[in-house]
């Protein structure tokens, strides 16, 4: 069975570099269990998977808050409540 580990987190670095600040990152595990991550909307020279342990130490990244992935049922409900214009008609 393929590795299904996938978490999305808000991460933060106090660095004054253009890449610092509050960002969203996707975390995965390699087949040997190594934690890697991808930061959303990175500049081209910083795109790609990185080792969390290495980068968090070197660039001062910390995990702030996990963003929960929706369940299949939540996706089905959202699709069911979608109107023709793309807005969600379920205001719950």
């Amino acid at each position: 069975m393929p590795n299904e580990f996938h978490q999305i987190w808000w991460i933060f670095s106090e660095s004054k570099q253009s890449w610092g600040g509050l960002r969203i990152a996707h975390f995965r595990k390699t087949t040997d269990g190594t934690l890697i991550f991808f930061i959303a909307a990175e500049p081209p020279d910083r795109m790609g998977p990185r080792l969390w342990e290495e980068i968090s130490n070197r660039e001062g990244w910390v995990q702030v808050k996990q963003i929960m992935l929706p369940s299949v049922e939540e996706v089905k409900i959202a699709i069911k409540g979608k109107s023709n214009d793309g807005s969600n008609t379920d205001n719950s």
Side-chain angles (χ1 to χ4, degrees):
M1 176 176 212
N3 185 347
E4 302 272 337
F5 180 88
H6 181 202
Q7 292 182 345
I8 303 173
W9 283 77
W10 283 103
I11 61 172
F12 180 77
S13 173
E14 290 183 308
S15 173
K16 301 300 182 208
Q17 298 291 327
S18 61
W19 47 258
L22 191 62
R23 307 293 290 283
I24 292 178
H26 291 257
F27 288 81
R28 306 294 287 219
K29 285 190 179 176
T30 62
T31 54
D32 69 357
T34 303
L35 188 61
I36 60 171
F37 75 112
F38 303 80
I39 298 177
E42 280 282 81
D45 63 325
R46 290 181 54 87
M47 285 182 173
R50 295 190 235 156
L51 298 174
W52 175 249
E53 187 175 337
E54 177 185 310
I55 290 294
S56 62
N57 289 331
R58 188 172 71 223
E59 296 181 356
W61 290 104
V62 295
Q63 291 177 310
V64 177
K65 183 176 182 179
Q66 186 174 4
I67 302 167
M68 300 309 296
L69 294 169
S71 68
V72 172
E73 188 61 31
E74 289 170 318
V75 172
K76 287 179 182 178
I77 290 169
I79 291 169
K80 190 175 184 181
K82 187 176 176 182
S83 67
N84 289 337
D85 66 1
S87 64
N88 193 323
T89 58
D90 180 12
N91 294 322
S92 58

